[in-house]
Amino acid sequence: MPRLSVVLVAYREQGFLRPCLDSVLGQSGDDLEVVVVDDASPDHSAEVLAEVAAADPRVRVHRLETRHGPDRARAEGLALATGEYVWFVDAADLLPEGALHAVTARLDADRPAVLVVDHLVREVDGAHRPVPAPADGSTGVVWDKVVRAEHARAHPNWADRTEGLARLGRPAYVRRALPAAVRRRSGSQDARPPVRAAERKPAPVLTPRLLARKARGKARRLARQLRAPRKAVRQAKEPPLRAYYRLQLRRPLQQDLVVYAAYWYTNYSCNPRAIYEKARELAPWLEGVWVVNPDKVDVVPDGVRYVVAGTHDYYRVMARAAYLVNNVNFPNDIVKRPGQVHLQTHHGTPVKTMGLDLVDAPYGRKRMNFQRLMRRVARWDYSVSQNGFTTIQWERAYPGVYESLETGYPRNDVLANATPAEVARIREGLGIRPEQTAVLYTPTHREYHQGYVPQLDPERLADKLGPDYVLLMRTHYFYDAATTGVAGSGRVLDVAAHPRIEDLYLAADLLVTDYSSVMFDYAVLDRPIVIYAPDWEEYRTLRGTYVDLMATPPGAVATTEAELAEVLVTRRAWDDESTAYRQAFRARFCSLEDGRASERVVRRLWPAPPGGNA
């Protein structure tokens, strides 16, 4: 019999399962078992739990065929637990280092029927707020109590009992705070911190003092009415565009209007472009409009309607469109109206940590307002994902009430459907000779550097490769040629300004990248990928990563410029070992990339015209 059984119910919180279980299993001590009840969760929870259980014999998983709800599912877990004590933990919780030791030490010392623990609420910005348990332990929840198993089975309502309680000093337990809407979606009603007695408001009693307050309230309302003309004057001074936007927000939504945007209004590209073009084919009743900045009007092809950001037309379509599609977030001042549908397409599968996970990154907390981020995420209705791995990361890093659309990335349809003739045409347009090996190099952005810091010398690498190779240099979109100093020559082509990166994928025979998400897209082509990682430990430490590219790379790995040249010249990037790595990588991340991702998204959002049939 183990001393302690940790019981966890899993339902629609797939993004939080592994961090929670890691925080439990990572603590020393074999006198522990973890019982996870999968409450028929309709996501990737079963896969995550199977991986965890396979790696640690202390974990047992029991899957229910139909959903029982949190209380009945916990009862199932209690019946399966074999420990002397039981601790019910929620999937969104974390146990800090040393928590299990502190709990078992107190259990050994006091032998209580119920041990009540304090906890910390973790805010979205990473700050911790202590919440001490009431002295009598009457919190009305189960997750802050460690209970003798026989006591729990004998007293079904033990969570509300006050007898036999002992208190453990803070902080023994950490809870991750999430917006209430996320907790409601997960079905966990007991996840919010308890309201202490001093914070509870008593029922109002009619007293002379209360009557006086009501009289003062009437006087204040009368004063506000008398000040109404002054309020009208202030509103008249409001900038005209903002006043126009407020007016448009009161007008009806246009149900067939869709607004598209990409990369902060700078491009006509990526997943929004693929969805827009497929919608023109499958949902022709829709009116699609793109938003671009004034200096980016030339990126919009002929025949594509657009509005310029900051104009009257811009505010009108943003207020009236029934659908908003973007691969980043719209500005903070954009209002999400009731009835509007916001599709967040994203623009890559994440190697590096994102969203709320950045609160633990040394450079993340400095550069992001996490409260504003959560307000932007609250506008999402749908979130597009390339694969199951990405879905899990997005749902944890960007917790919200949206629906994940695990469809593959629409922008990769052109890769899956490309013909040899299209590839030849693109290569010819770039000036690549048929016999040349085209290497596409795409370094990622390092926000902890003050500016662009090159990781290799492209001209020197091209000299080592020789005339049979051509190097396509595609720096991160945060930088331009003036910043990077890439001049370009016969064997080094600066393609940073090329309007469509998918064309560059098709033109290249091989991809060299460091930690950029482009590797997940390029893998669709089943062509060699080389990871050039001269600063892997620095990047992993300062930014944080979700994928260990040294352990599970998509191909050969080089850590110096000389080694990179050797991998290319000797054709090691094409050998059997590199191919095996690539096949495993593709199986994990590219299984949905069949050329129909755009269609799946369009048919999910617009199966039929408003008020009509498909």
Side-chain angles (χ1 to χ4, degrees), residues 558-599:
T559 58
T560 67
E561 186 177 317
E563 186 181 10
L564 174 60
E566 185 270 334
V567 167
L568 298 177
V569 171
T570 64
R571 310 291 285 185
R572 181 151 61 91
W574 285 263
D575 68 14
D576 291 343
E577 182 181 24
S578 297
T579 300
Y581 277 127
R582 185 173 73 252
Q583 295 306 322
F585 189 87
R586 279 169 46 80
R588 183 182 181 190
F589 298 111
C590 300
S591 61
L592 297 175
E593 303 291 7
D594 59 358
R596 300 184 61 185
S598 300
E599 178 182 346

Side-chain angles (χ1 to χ4, degrees), residues 20-295:
C20 174
L21 290 170
D22 286 348
S23 75
V24 176
L25 298 169
Q27 305 197 29
S28 60
D30 295 327
D31 204 12
L32 168 76
E33 72 169 359
V34 177
V35 178
V36 185
V37 179
D38 181 350
D39 195 12
S41 190
D43 53 15
H44 293 286
S45 293
E47 302 165 32
V48 173
L49 296 174
E51 292 176 2
V52 174
D56 196 315
R58 295 175 295 174
V59 179
R60 290 189 292 135
V61 179
H62 176 64
R63 180 170 173 84
L64 303 175
E65 295 303 318
T66 59
R67 191 187 177 200
H68 285 39
D71 292 335
R72 289 178 58 200
R74 287 194 188 102
E76 293 274 350
L78 177 61
L80 294 169
T82 63
E84 181 184 2
Y85 283 88
V86 178
W87 191 356
F88 293 98
V89 175
D90 285 349
D93 298 338
L94 297 171
L95 267 63
E97 185 178 354
L100 286 180
H101 176 75
V103 166
T104 54
R106 184 58 63 90
L107 294 177
D108 290 339
D110 296 342
R111 307 292 297 166
V114 181
L115 181 69
V116 182
V117 299
D118 295 345
H119 66 274
L120 298 172
V121 172
R122 189 183 193 190
E123 307 292 355
V124 296
D125 61 357
H128 290 86
R129 174 169 56 85
V131 182
D136 63 0
S138 56
T139 61
V141 296
V142 299
W143 44 257
D144 65 351
K145 300 176 181 70
V146 183
V147 190
R148 190 183 296 274
E150 62 184 21
H151 180 83
R153 295 184 180 109
H155 302 87
N157 297 322
W158 57 268
D160 296 322
R161 296 177 62 85
T162 58
E163 61 186 63
L165 300 182
R167 179 127 177 246
L168 181 70
R170 89 182 90 118
Y173 191 62
V174 172
R175 296 185 56 76
R176 183 189 292 266
L178 298 176
V182 177
R183 303 306 304 183
R184 285 198 295 269
R185 182 188 72 135
S186 71
S188 238
Q189 295 300 323
D190 60 357
R192 289 163 293 197
V195 179
R196 284 177 275 177
E199 297 172 342
R200 296 190 181 100
K201 294 181 179 179
V205 178
L206 195 62
T207 64
R209 181 174 296 178
L210 180 60
L211 289 173
R213 280 204 304 270
K214 288 188 174 182
R216 288 195 295 271
K218 288 183 178 180
R220 283 193 295 268
R221 287 193 293 274
L222 179 60
R224 283 197 298 270
Q225 293 173 3
L226 294 174
R227 290 197 300 268
R230 278 181 282 174
K231 180 179 179 181
V233 171
R234 288 197 303 270
Q235 288 180 338
K237 295 180 180 179
E238 184 179 29
L241 277 174
R242 298 299 302 172
Y244 178 77
Y245 183 43
R246 292 180 183 276
L247 175 65
Q248 292 297 317
L249 288 170
R250 292 195 290 267
R251 300 190 62 192
L253 291 174
Q254 186 176 334
Q255 295 301 320
D256 61 350
L257 181 59
V258 187
V259 170
Y260 296 88
Y263 296 115
W264 301 276
Y265 303 160
T266 64
N267 218 321
Y268 169 77
S269 64
C270 196
N271 291 316
R273 172 179 176 171
I275 294 169
Y276 165 78
E277 292 176 354
K278 183 58 66 172
R280 294 180 75 173
E281 173 189 340
L282 299 180
W285 61 86
L286 295 172
E287 180 183 359
V289 179
W290 277 79
V291 179
V292 291
N293 288 329
D295 61 337

Side-chain angles (χ1 to χ4, degrees), residues 307-365:
V307 296
V308 175
T311 64
H312 284 82
D313 286 340
Y314 164 75
Y315 283 110
R316 178 178 54 79
V317 298
M318 293 303 300
R320 303 287 306 281
Y323 299 91
L324 305 174
V325 180
N326 204 337
N327 70 349
V328 294
N329 279 302
F330 285 99
N332 293 325
D333 63 345
I334 293 301
V335 176
K336 169 73 179 302
R337 296 180 59 181
Q340 276 186 324
V341 175
H342 185 348
L343 173 66
Q344 170 59 258
T345 75
H346 303 281
H347 53 279
T349 282
V351 174
K352 58 190 177 185
T353 50
M354 304 289 287
L356 293 189
D357 288 341
L358 284 172
V359 298
D360 296 320
Y363 286 82
R365 193 176 302 183

